[in-house]
Amino acid sequence: MRIPIMAGNWKLNKTKQEAEALAGDIAAGARDVKDVEIVLCPVYTALDSVGRTISGTALKLGAQDVYWQESGAFTGEVSSTMLKDAGCVFVIVGHSERRQFFGESNETVNQKVKAVLQEGLTPIMCVGETLPEREAGRVEAVVSDHVKGGLAGLTAEEIGRVVIAYEPVWAIGTGKTATPEQAQEVHELIRGLLRELAGAEVAERVRIQYGGSVKPDNVKSLMSQKDIDGALVGGASLKADAFLSLVKFNEK
Ligand code: 13P
């Protein structure tokens, strides 16, 4: 009942022209894909050109970050109103690279999630532990903290409009994927937290993506897990063939 959602997080890659070409190839290759939601998240400067390229297709546009204020003296920031204006439907919030390099905290993630929801857009809220945290047996504590902190103060209805991405930091860009069982264990934990926060019906509805070295050869086993509803993809989303093979995981 949860529609799988495959999102490409292009991170700091691709000029406008390159982004347009990649989006065009993905759109062409995904024409016959049914029942999978596909999201492309280019850099801000390529949002407009990618948006134009995929307009009229089933593909959706997403941004990689946002600021929670709507406008004002906040040099360098972009608001959810502006992202909506640029054609975005999704916004990645709280990616571990933002937590690690740009001082993102549960509090800022929470403000961003609220701003995105207020604009009627869908946040893809990222959570996940580092390797030292996993080795110290703190996966449950860290993930619970991220989920509860990021969703603090939201109504059940609002929580129902969020997509969550579980991205263990040690699996991002390292080629080390969590095993399907390791991922499922944390996805199940997250769904349990959602049940506590918003009730069983909402928890069943919220989609939880896995992210971290998702590749054509591991996507099927990850997607076969009960609580894995999609993938947030970095490296493999930068090549049309690889990303299309993820999107078509069902046909493998
Ligand atoms: P990789 O797929 O390159 O490991 O990146 C995952 C990620 O961070 C997606 O947001």
Side-chain angles (χ1 to χ4, degrees):
M1 89 190 217
R2 296 184 293 265
I3 296 170
I5 173 167
M6 296 301 203
N9 173 10
W10 294 357
K11 306 192 179 183
L12 184 52
N13 293 289
K14 307 280 175 193
T15 61
K16 270 198 313 187
Q17 220 174 9
E18 290 164 348
E20 216 174 294
L22 177 57
D25 289 346
I26 294 171
R31 245 194 314 257
D32 298 329
V33 176
K34 301 261 178 311
D35 304 324
V36 176
E37 194 160 28
I38 304 170
V39 185
L40 304 183
C41 305
V43 293
Y44 288 138
T45 49
L47 283 174
D48 191 56
S49 48
V50 169
R52 283 170 206 269
T53 307
I54 62 176
S55 85
T57 76
L59 274 60
K60 310 234 169 75
L61 190 65
Q64 298 176 16
D65 191 23
V66 65
Y67 190 57
W68 57 85
Q69 296 281 355
E70 200 174 309
S71 62
F74 303 103
T75 303
E77 296 298 331
V78 175
S79 70
S80 43
T81 315
M82 289 158 186
L83 293 179
K84 187 175 182 179
D85 185 49
C88 289
V89 181
F90 289 87
V91 184
I92 299 171
V93 175
H95 191 279
S96 67
E97 286 147 18
R98 304 244 28 116
R99 294 182 193 255
Q100 191 179 349
F101 304 128
F102 303 98
E104 193 87 83
S105 65
N106 284 339
E107 290 69 37
T108 58
V109 170
N110 183 237
Q111 301 205 65
K112 290 177 179 189
V113 166
K114 286 177 177 160
V116 170
L117 287 170
Q118 191 149 22
E119 203 55 60
L121 307 179
T122 300
I124 298 179
M125 187 182 90
C126 304
V127 304
E129 82 287 356
T130 62
L131 187 58
E133 287 166 343
R134 175 165 281 263
E135 286 173 346
R138 300 192 52 234
V139 175
E140 186 170 344
V142 171
V143 171
S144 303
D145 183 55
H146 285 174
V147 171
K148 289 183 176 165
L151 300 179
L154 267 62
T155 64
E157 184 275 332
E158 287 169 330
I159 292 175
R161 290 194 279 132
V162 175
V163 171
I164 295 186
Y166 169 57
E167 299 206 304
V169 179
W170 48 272
I172 295 179
T174 58
K176 263 196 235 166
T177 321
T179 64
E181 294 73 25
Q182 277 175 322
Q184 167 59 27
E185 199 181 332
V186 181
H187 281 235
E188 205 174 320
L189 163 77
I190 294 171
R191 207 170 300 287
L193 292 166
L194 292 171
R195 213 172 291 128
E196 267 176 48
L197 294 170
E201 190 270 323
V202 169
E204 278 312 303
R205 195 151 36 86
V206 169
R207 291 175 296 175
I208 308 174
Q209 296 176 302
Y210 168 79
S213 299
V214 177
K215 301 270 180 319
D217 63 358
N218 60 27
V219 66
K220 187 146 184 145
S221 57
L222 287 161
M223 289 301 292
S224 68
Q225 297 295 316
K226 174 167 139 305
D227 290 295
I228 300 185
D229 308 313
L232 183 57
V233 188
S237 72
L238 295 171
K239 294 245 159 49
D241 284 357
F243 188 63
L244 284 167
S245 125
L246 301 183
V247 161
K248 297 177 186 179
F249 70 94
N250 256 335
E251 297 169 22
K252 281 172 187 274

